[in-house]
Amino acid sequence: MKTVLAWLTDAALADSILGDLEEVRRRRGILWFWSAVFGVAGYAAWTRLIEVASSGGGLRRLGGDARQAVRVLRRRPGFALITIFLLALGIGANAAVFSVVYAVVLRPLPYAEPDRLVFVWRGLETRPGNRHDILTGNDAAAIQAKATTLESFALVRSWQTGLETQVDLATPDGAERLRGAAVTANFFELLGARATRGRTFSSGDADAPLVVISDGLWRRRFGADPAIAGRTVVLEAGRAKRATQPYTIVGVLPPDFRFSYPRDTEIYLLLPWANVRPIGAVEFQMVARLKTGATVQQAQADLTAVAKDRVRASYRMTGAALEAQVQRTAMLVEPVAEHLQAEARPGVLLLASVAALVLLIACVNLGLLLLSRAVDRRGELGLRAALGAGAGRIVAQLTMESAVLSLAGGLAGLATVAVAMPVIRALMPPIVPRVDQIGVDPIVLGFAGLLMLLTTAVCGVGPAWIVLRRDLLDEVRRAPASSTGDQAILLSRRLIVSVQVAVVVLLLVGSSLLLRSFWRLQQVDLGFTSGDVVTMETRLVGSRFRQPGRIAAFQQDLLARVRAVPGVARAGLSTAVPMRGVDFVMSVGSKGGPRQAGNMRSVDPEFFHVMRLPLKAGRFLDSRDTATSEPVAVVSESYGRLHFGNASPLDRVLSLDPDARIVGVVGDVRYADVTRDPYPAFYLPNSQHPTELICLVVEPQPGALATVVSGLRAAAQAADPDQPVEGITTLRQIVSQSTADRRFYAVTTGAFASVALLLAIAGTFGVVSRTVSERQRELAIRIALGAEPRRLLRLVYGYGLIPAAAGTVAGLAAAYAGSRLLQGFLFQTAPTDAATFVGAAVTVLAVTALACYLPARRTLRVQPMVVLKSD
Amino acid sequence: MSEAQPIGEFEQMVLLAVLQRKDDAYGVTIHEELARHTPRPVARGAVYMTLDRLEKKGLLKSTLSEPTAERGGRAKRCYGLTKPAVQALKGSRRTLLSLWAGLEPLLEK
């Protein structure tokens, strides 16, 4: 890259530019560095292009070369079309993938100085599967008092943290549940976000009932009312005491402002600093701005020291126990951009790598085509030399032909991508953030422009090499001949076939591993039935539900109405739907035993039957378990093993309020994620532990799915029209969504690998065909001298299979070395799975043999006398 | 009054950013200074190409520092204004102030 920059500017300037970018790279990371280098190079290239085009002589010459190139290409339309198609495929695929990479990974976040914004987490593992947790008021107070690396911080309590700030908007049609967050007054100022209407929160707002809304909510719910600032809305919001009260909308955020991904926060309430009391419950997300010059590592060390000091000063422990607690205490500081991209980045970069390999194969195929064409044109090029054209002029004209092809192919590819962009966005899995920003914007166009320059250079190398490596005037004097005597060209073709095959093997191994892994994922026993079970969620609003008796009565009424909907076979309820939302975690132990964390689910007896959980011992919860009967519980198998080892959990007592006797053991279920082992769980009767969080699970009769779905919302409305309902879907769709990212990456890499395989077949077929054509005389002589057909076939197959075999070995070695990089994407599949490697090798060699078949057949039909007489 | 060299809007901004940064005017800090004052994103490539062009026009002079490990073993190129640059800025400012004269009420609307 230094050479390219030096060519575009000058060596000294290029050096100092790279030095500047290296200095910033230490703060902003390697991905930023390369995007900045490409940005500067692109701008410099554009500046130089304008300078050349502006000079009269340069422009005239460029125009003349371009017209000549178009004339030459029009004489061979088939060749031109194939070339343009290959380039469109390679450049288009890479432009599409880059548009995703740029939107998801490289585009700066819509905040002021985003590289100084970080999330601060507790490093204790307090929740299953998490490596960090949100903060307590104590944490925030300690950081406020003692941290030295933070310029400022804001706190957020949101629907994403799992301790939802539920915000329900009262409307004439009933309550609407909004995705809300409560934020401290300095939140928007910290991020550098300004309102497009009205204002955001300010330090003078204290604890006033104010809200700021998203652009999307403003348009959807308020008709983009220009007088929105100052309007009053009635919300039910807050946590412990849900109060319905009027709030004033003070402002609307810009359309591109986002803080939560992939689903946007719609409404922001003011979280008064007075409410951030030093208490021990985890409830806040902290977003902070580093001081200028402070690094993430320095901040992490600083905040960890603050946290350890707090533990020493405030925990009621001494000696070794205290020291152990101090050792375990850590704070994690994570750049905001990294956090948002964390889940999606590996997959997006995988796709970028695969697309680059496909482009490589397309370029290699093109190189073959153009090399062959340059060989054919040696006579023509020699004639130009005889008429006075220097080597440099001829190379310039050949480069212009490559440039015209690259430009045409690139534009065709970009046009296809632009048309297909809505489809590309729709195919993105849910974990990919900022999907709405994926598009063909100037940066993507610039990247495509760089690719066109690259392919021009690559496609022009072969012909230029032909021109420069021998005396062209000699070509005019000699009779036109084939290239069979030119060992360098033969070797080049074999090398190109080997390189293609190696890349195809690499892609086939990778995509096969991903597809195999995804297939294994589909076979996982979730522990419950998915299928057409319909789910619906609601969280009761209204002060009348503060009493458990009212909640239980509502639940019974709702269940009765749902069971009466035509087409419903069974209906039950729980506090959690698999793979969605909140699953309560409680640390509970048996009487006298240690407390261990487990999922707590409050369910009605039908839940077990709708979900088809297997009964392992004892009984399910049933109608005997009422509000006034003995408190009971059912535990999962893993919960029983955790607390009681191999002993039966039946009749043991769980320390709850009140204590509950275990009456049954059910099979484990994968509730959080298909790939994660089941977490220990216990089930309590909803009649004894009613909660306002209600997740209905409904089994429809065969063929009645649509009827049940449409009837559920009506049943909920009839029970209480003020209760917001959401999440009406099926378990099958939920499970499918949970693996959507793996499916996407497996299918996409498989598609790319298939395209690469087709390109490689075409390339190999071309090489073998051409070699057979060029060697017709030699083959004719061999046949005339009595060579057996079998030997001739071996010779022809060898033209393709020998370089393919070499490429296969190289590809397998590269796949073996690199497949560990796929470990994070694989499920129950070893990255060096032997069957996959063998399968890829066999496939590639088989299709290579297929590509050699037609040329081989043609060989057997050679008539020696005809060939030899034609010489 | 000697004739000052005409300079474009972005060239003026770059020269002023160099002045603002005093002894610490190099690519990174000049870009930061511009980003702080302009509502639109500023392309780094534009900054470097403009610095190069201004140096070739004789409006900027540059000096190289010692290479440092922080910069990957590369020297830092620091910029300073030449007398013609100062003259050009003064001339540009005089022209703009003269054109803005009497139009202050427009700014308050």
Side-chain angles (χ1 to χ4, degrees), chain A residues 2 8-10 12-24 26-28 32 36 39-40 43-44 47-48 113, chain B residues 26-28 32 36 43-50 52-53 55-56 64 68-77 79:
Chain A
K2 184 186 170 183
L8 290 169
T9 56
D10 64 59
L13 182 61
D15 200 62
S16 55
I17 291 173
L18 286 171
D20 286 351
L21 297 181
E22 173 66 30
E23 194 182 296
V24 181
R26 285 162 193 271
R27 280 187 274 128
R28 298 188 65 169
W32 176 90
V40 171
Y43 199 94
T47 307
R48 290 287 169 258
E113 296 183 78
Chain B
Y26 65 108
V28 174
E32 280 173 5
R36 214 197 313 277
R44 273 179 204 274
V47 172
Y48 285 111
M49 293 301 104
T50 303
D52 187 45
R53 188 166 61 248
E55 189 170 13
K56 287 184 170 114
L64 285 175
T68 60
E70 193 194 27
R71 294 173 58 83
R74 295 184 168 95
K76 185 189 296 186
R77 182 178 291 271
Y79 292 90

